[in-house]
Amino acid sequence: MKRTAFLPGMGAFVGTLLLILDSKTALAGAKTGVTLCISTVIPALFPFLVLSAMVMGTSFGVLGPLGRLCCLPKGAENLLIPAFLGGYPVGARTVARAWREGRLNRREAEGLLGFCSHAGPSFIFGMGAVVFPAGWMSWALWGIHLASGVLTARLLGPVGDRAVSLDAGKGPTLSGALSQALSVMGLICGWVVLFRVVIAFLSRWVLFLLPAQVQILIVGLLELTNGCCVLPLVEDTALRFTLCSGMLAAGGLCVLMQTASVTAGLSLRRYCLGKAIQTALSLLLCGCLFRGKYVIVPTALLVLALLMKKQKRAGIPARSGI
């Protein structure tokens, strides 16, 4: 217990020391993070945060077949709208809200977290138009992201056999939805700015020693938006597309922290397993798109993730895993 308390305290002490000794880097990183929030994160997420708060008060029976395809419990079809269109972490927040209101039990909520959080189309198309030379690549990127998400849901399987209701009846008013969205938006932007400061320090002191592709991968796995911003440094279009697809599926550490913040009280094991499977599937689909390039590693990752899932179902204690 003492060790658990010691490590965060030591990390905070080291961070404070860095802020004092190299304040210019910290200020530059924070400034870039705020700019990213204003120019990219808020426009991409805020409207969906408002709409996701209101959409759960409406029933969309037409989504039933797609819900069954994704192994959703009957009555949970509304989740597909914030899950596929809302962007990180709108879908996860919607699940957590339904759990807190008693419309999902813990097992169902934690199971749905393995599938329900994806990058939104507004972010994918906005970023794709800048990063890729051909317009079809943005559509292909979104298509792979959707396909890998549905396949992940199928591989994870059903999360329960009872019918549920995510329809809360009368949804919140527009002003109520706006207030909810503002609080979550502030939380998300706070994580983005914090991670941008961390990336600024790493870039100044460590990352410049590594190859450009490795730098981009590390930055993308730390914070998705920053990783996508430096993708044009990769000259090989196929590799750039593959890296982008993998980063979108994984979400990165910053998205994981955002998800943990909006789903407090729920375990993220299923979420992490789902992200691992979706990342491997995305890379595999990219490899098929570019005629077999970069297929070996994602195939191995997918097999490993599925073995971990099978091991957990069989009740065998795992020595390591997500």
Side-chain angles (χ1 to χ4, degrees):
M1 192 71 180
K2 290 182 179 179
R3 184 180 179 183
T4 305
F6 172 78
L7 292 177
M10 179 56 69
F13 174 77
V14 173
T16 303
L17 192 61
L18 287 173
L19 291 176
I20 294 172
L21 297 177
D22 194 0
S23 59
K24 289 184 178 180
T25 299
L27 289 172
K31 183 178 179 179
T32 304
V34 171
T35 302
L36 278 173
C37 288
I38 294 174
S39 63
T40 302
V41 178
I42 294 177
L45 287 185
F46 186 71
F48 286 101
L49 285 169
V50 176
L51 292 176
S52 68
M54 302 187 68
V55 78
M56 301 314 291
T58 307
S59 179
F60 294 95
V62 71
L63 296 175
L66 185 56
R68 290 191 292 273
L69 178 64
C70 296
C71 299
L72 292 180
K74 185 177 180 180
E77 296 84 8
N78 286 14
L79 178 61
L80 293 169
I81 296 176
F84 282 118
L85 302 180
Y88 294 119
V90 177
R93 174 195 177 241
T94 304
V95 169
R97 179 184 163 208
W99 169 65
R100 293 190 183 100
E101 293 175 354
R103 288 177 278 129
L104 292 173
N105 60 39
R106 179 180 294 274
R107 178 175 176 270
E108 291 163 344
E110 292 177 350
L112 288 172
L113 287 179
F115 141 81
C116 72
S117 196
H118 305 282
S122 57
F123 177 81
I124 292 175
F125 282 92
M127 175 271 306
V130 177
V131 174
F132 299 108
W136 67 267
M137 288 188 168
S138 296
W139 286 98
L141 198 64
W142 191 35
I144 287 174
H145 195 64
L146 292 176
S148 63
V150 173
L151 288 172
T152 297
R154 296 292 300 179
L155 289 171
L156 288 174
V159 300
D161 55 4
R162 75 178 184 107
V164 301
S165 177
L166 298 190
D167 182 359
K170 184 179 180 181
T173 63
L174 180 59
S175 60
L178 187 67
S179 298
Q180 294 178 27
L182 282 171
S183 63
V184 177
M185 196 74 254
L187 190 68
I188 293 171
C189 288
W191 281 114
V192 171
V193 173
L194 178 61
F195 269 82
R196 189 62 194 98
V197 173
V198 172
I199 291 171
F201 279 115
L202 289 176
S203 299
R204 178 172 172 80
W205 299 105
V206 179
L207 293 183
F208 70 91
L209 299 171
L210 303 174
Q213 290 86 345
V214 178
Q215 293 184 43
I216 292 169
L217 183 60
I218 292 174
V219 171
L221 291 178
L222 284 173
E223 205 286 307
L224 178 61
T225 307
N226 285 280
C228 291
C229 288
V230 294
L231 274 173
L233 297 176
V234 180
E235 295 182 2
D236 186 337
T237 304
L239 179 58
R240 190 191 318 157
F241 186 96
T242 303
L243 284 173
C244 184
S245 182
M247 289 191 299
L248 287 171
L253 183 58
C254 184
V255 167
L256 176 61
M257 299 307 295
Q258 294 171 22
T259 304
S261 297
V262 299
T263 60
L266 294 173
S267 170
L268 293 183
R269 288 185 179 182
R270 181 94 165 183
Y271 171 86
C272 292
L273 178 60
K275 290 290 100 183
I277 293 175
Q278 187 178 0
T279 301
L281 284 169
S282 295
L283 296 176
L284 188 60
L285 290 173
C286 288
C288 295
L289 179 65
F290 292 103
R291 300 179 183 179
K293 280 189 175 183
Y294 321 116
V295 168
I296 296 177
V297 173
T299 302
L301 289 173
L302 179 59
V303 170
L304 177 61
L306 292 176
L307 285 174
M308 290 167 57
K309 177 175 177 285
K310 183 177 180 181
Q311 185 183 51
K312 183 177 179 181
R313 279 190 172 180
I316 302 173
R319 295 183 180 178
S320 63
I322 297 173

